[in-house]
Amino acid sequence: MIGYITIGTNDLERAASFYDSIFNEMGASKAFDADRLSAWSFGEGKPLFTVTKPFDENDATVGNGVMVALSAPSKEAVDKLHAKALALGAAGEGGPYLKGNNFYVGYFRDLDGNKLNFHCYI
């Protein structure tokens, strides 16, 4: 159902470097770069992840209530990826911790303030 996810940035070079480091750990590859955006692929038939400078040329802003959830294969992967995001300058938003009976999650905000998480079911 989802073809791609796009989040905004005000500094494309900085955001692309951040996500290159994160997605390299997750096995994704750069799908393409353009003047105003960069995109990563997690494999054929899976959604792309795109970061872009807004096309209306206004500042990118964070959507209240918007979050992107990135699947990880294990609790250890969630821990590693969450720690990597924080080491790259992301702000912690909670976790990693077990939420409910079997949902393990670590929340963070990227360098532009967009809210994301890494999660897995255990």
Side-chain angles (χ1 to χ4, degrees):
M1 178 173 103
I2 297 172
Y4 59 91
I5 297 164
T6 300
I7 61 172
T9 184
N10 292 307
D11 187 336
L12 184 57
E13 185 176 319
R14 181 180 73 153
S17 178
F18 177 84
Y19 284 108
D20 277 340
S21 293
I22 294 294
F23 293 147
N24 185 47
E25 291 282 331
M26 298 180 75
S29 60
K30 184 67 75 79
F32 58 89
D33 285 309
D35 292 340
R36 303 186 66 78
L37 63 90
S38 290
W40 293 264
S41 172
F42 289 85
E44 189 174 332
K46 295 183 179 178
L48 292 174
F49 185 97
T50 304
V51 62
T52 188
K53 293 177 78 174
F55 287 93
D56 66 5
E57 298 186 6
N58 290 318
D59 287 342
T61 58
V62 176
N64 188 20
V66 175
M67 180 176 57
V68 176
L70 302 169
S71 295
S74 66
K75 178 182 180 287
E76 295 76 21
V78 170
D79 291 342
K80 182 178 179 181
L81 291 163
H82 188 263
K84 175 141 190 135
L86 298 183
L88 291 167
E93 281 282 309
Y97 63 91
L98 186 62
K99 190 173 186 177
N101 293 329
N102 67 343
F103 188 70
Y104 191 73
V105 64
Y107 298 96
F108 66 97
R109 289 196 182 264
D110 73 5
L111 306 177
D112 288 287
N114 296 296
K115 189 171 183 179
L116 297 94
N117 77 47
F118 298 110
H119 70 277
C120 69
Y121 293 94
I122 55 173

